[in-house]
Amino acid sequence: MIYLAVLAVIIGIGIGIIPVQKYENLKDGRLVKTVTIGKISIHFRLSSILWFTIFLILLLFGGLRYGVGTDFFSYTELFEQVSYQPAAYLFHTSRFSYMEWGYIFLNVVVSLLSKNPQAIMLVTSGIIAILFLYRIRKSSPFYPFSLYLFFTYFIWAFNGIRQGIAMAIAFFAYEYAKQKKWIKCAVLILTAALFHKTVLIMFLLYLVCQLTYPVYIYIVAIAGSAVTLLFQKPISYFLIKAFYPIYLEEQYASLNIFGKFSEVQFIVSFGALLIAIRYYKKWKDSKQIFVFNLTLVLFICNTFFFWIPFWDRLQVYFNCLYALLIPQLITQESNKKIRFLIYLFIWGLLLTFFIIPPLAFHQESMINYYSSILFLN
């Protein structure tokens, strides 16, 4: 239940930020304090303090965990070994050579500051939290919902630290892709690939979603994607042979590497698509077709490509974007009552089927019981 308690606190602070920021935007500057030290003036905003509080909660919650996450002890073992032989690990002369260079380098840097394995948990949790929170603060029209959805992916990163960092960087790059700032977007995605190579698919996704297509292309894309369901086996074999040939060996025969269809993800992605279609003209006229295309692509992925090998590793990149997409889509609805009902429906759906079960009952597919280094004997 501690997961739900932390989630509730974060959402509560997110709700409080909204009226605070409105007051801060008043001409008289209420809730903004300035402290002058010599020639330096520092502005303190209550909203910034609230955002920092959320960051601090996430930093401590993720950074002080112990034994939480499927690869927790593998990562602490790596850090301990790196701290004794940084040069060897920096040049990949170790049994952890399969790990991307960016994560190895991060361990080397952190080990120079502290030999305590908990340090790498604090740093990685901080990186993931600050990238997500910054983008939510700058790009989300409704903070509580974005924080609500983001928290599930922050927890998911306990199981995949390297990919969690890559996911956070790709999420941060969202606004640059939306604004067609391709150099900044490319640099960020390439940086993310230093932590997990699978994130490279996000640059292609962002690029495809910025193009304008005639209506028949959308129809062909949906129909063509549906047809792939008939050829799951040969396509899966090709992808495994091309990217993960080791899993064709006999010892991995019993390992289930294929994704499963998620009714909840389908409902959410289909609902988001319906909203996007309803306001398609607005998106097209305002040259924000990126939002519509991205919503359509995510629907196609969740509906027709769930069977792809290691889909669980790819879908986190896609579905975490709903933390920004859904509020941006719903904002197009001028009727406040309808907006409220839409949020209520999505919130209830996710809470009932996607958030409460794994966080409260600790299903193996999500996360295990929370334990902190503070409470160890």
Side-chain angles (χ1 to χ4, degrees):
M1 294 299 290
I2 189 173
Y3 295 103
L4 294 178
V6 173
L7 176 60
V9 171
I10 289 173
I11 292 176
I13 297 174
I15 292 173
I17 290 174
I18 297 174
V20 168
Q21 285 194 169
K22 288 182 179 179
Y23 277 109
E24 288 176 345
N25 292 331
L26 295 176
K27 291 183 179 180
D28 60 5
R30 279 184 286 177
L31 302 183
V32 180
K33 303 297 181 182
T34 302
V35 176
T36 302
I37 304 175
K39 295 182 179 180
I40 301 176
S41 295
I42 303 175
H43 301 283
F44 289 93
R45 293 177 175 269
L46 180 56
S47 61
S48 297
I49 294 174
L50 292 175
W51 278 110
F52 180 75
T53 301
I54 294 176
F55 167 74
L56 191 60
I57 291 172
L58 294 171
L59 175 67
L60 297 178
F61 187 68
L64 297 181
R65 72 185 188 276
Y66 182 82
V68 181
T70 53
D71 294 329
F72 178 89
F73 293 109
S74 294
Y75 283 116
T76 54
E77 180 188 351
L78 167 64
F79 182 81
E80 288 173 343
Q81 294 188 21
V82 165
S83 64
Y84 289 109
Q85 294 179 306
Y89 283 84
L90 191 59
F91 296 103
H92 274 185
T93 57
S94 71
R95 75 179 186 86
F96 290 98
S97 59
Y98 65 90
M99 289 191 179
E100 289 79 359
W101 184 84
Y103 186 73
I104 297 292
F105 180 74
L106 179 64
N107 275 260
V108 170
V109 172
V110 175
S111 69
L112 296 176
L113 303 174
S114 173
K115 303 299 182 183
N116 189 331
Q118 211 64 40
I120 194 64
M121 296 300 160
L122 282 164
V123 171
T124 53
S125 295
I127 291 172
I128 295 170
I130 200 167
L131 290 172
F132 266 100
L133 293 178
Y134 181 89
R135 181 52 60 217
I136 289 172
R137 182 178 185 181
K138 295 293 183 181
S139 303
S140 175
F142 189 55
Y143 302 142
F145 182 83
S146 297
L147 292 169
Y148 173 79
L149 199 54
F150 147 66
F151 184 73
T152 63
Y153 290 97
F154 180 76
I155 296 301
W156 178 90
F158 289 0
N159 289 323
I161 297 175
R162 289 180 296 131
Q163 192 172 2
I165 295 175
M167 173 180 64
I169 298 174
F171 185 85
F172 183 82
Y174 168 90
E175 197 63 34
Y176 295 118
K178 186 179 177 183
Q179 297 174 11
K180 298 183 180 180
K181 296 180 178 179
W182 294 116
I183 295 178
K184 290 183 178 180
C185 181
V187 169
L188 284 168
I189 297 300
L190 289 174
T191 301
L194 293 176
F195 293 89
H196 211 281
K197 294 185 289 289
T198 55
V199 77
L200 289 171
I201 194 174
M202 291 303 293
F203 187 76
L204 177 62
L205 175 71
Y206 284 149
L207 188 61
V208 167
C209 290
Q210 265 295 8
L211 303 176
T212 302
Y213 306 96
V215 175
Y216 78 88
I217 293 296
Y218 294 121
I219 297 174
V220 171
I222 294 175
S225 300
V227 170
T228 62
L229 291 174
L230 303 175
F231 303 96
Q232 293 180 30
K233 289 186 177 180
I235 295 175
S236 295
Y237 178 80
F238 171 79
L239 292 173
I240 296 173
K241 187 174 182 180
F243 297 102
Y244 294 99
I246 190 174
Y247 287 100
L248 293 176
E249 297 178 8
E250 187 176 350
Q251 64 265 35
Y252 294 102
S254 61
L255 184 64
N256 184 14
I257 61 174
F258 302 99
K260 296 181 180 179
F261 181 75
S262 170
E263 291 81 0
V264 175
Q265 290 179 350
F266 169 77
I267 294 172
V268 172
S269 59
F270 182 64
L273 179 62
L274 290 179
I275 299 173
I277 292 173
R278 180 178 179 183
Y279 301 106
Y280 172 74
K281 190 174 181 181
K282 279 188 177 183
W283 297 116
K284 190 174 182 179
D285 292 346
S286 65
K287 297 182 180 180
Q288 291 289 347
I289 197 64
F290 175 80
V291 175
F292 177 85
N293 287 342
L294 188 55
T295 306
L296 176 61
V297 170
L298 296 189
F299 166 75
I300 289 175
C301 289
N302 283 315
T303 306
F304 302 118
F305 293 111
F306 59 88
W307 49 269
I308 287 179
F310 299 104
W311 171 245
D312 59 326
R313 296 188 181 185
L314 295 177
Q315 60 93 16
V316 293
Y317 296 129
F318 306 149
N319 290 334
C320 72
L321 295 177
Y322 280 123
L324 296 176
L325 276 178
I326 290 178
Q328 290 178 351
L329 289 169
I330 296 176
T331 300
Q332 299 303 306
E333 174 56 58
S334 57
N335 190 310
K336 290 184 178 180
K337 290 183 179 179
I338 294 179
R339 285 206 306 266
F340 174 77
L341 290 175
I342 294 174
Y343 273 124
L344 190 64
F345 173 75
I346 297 175
W347 245 334
L349 180 72
L350 293 176
L351 193 63
T352 303
F353 298 102
F354 188 61
I355 295 179
I356 286 183
L359 295 189
F361 304 112
H362 311 285
Q363 295 176 353
E364 292 182 2
S365 60
M366 182 65 180
I367 201 72
N368 48 343
Y369 287 95
Y370 185 81
S371 177
S372 173
I373 192 74
L374 297 177
F375 306 117
L376 296 179
N377 294 327

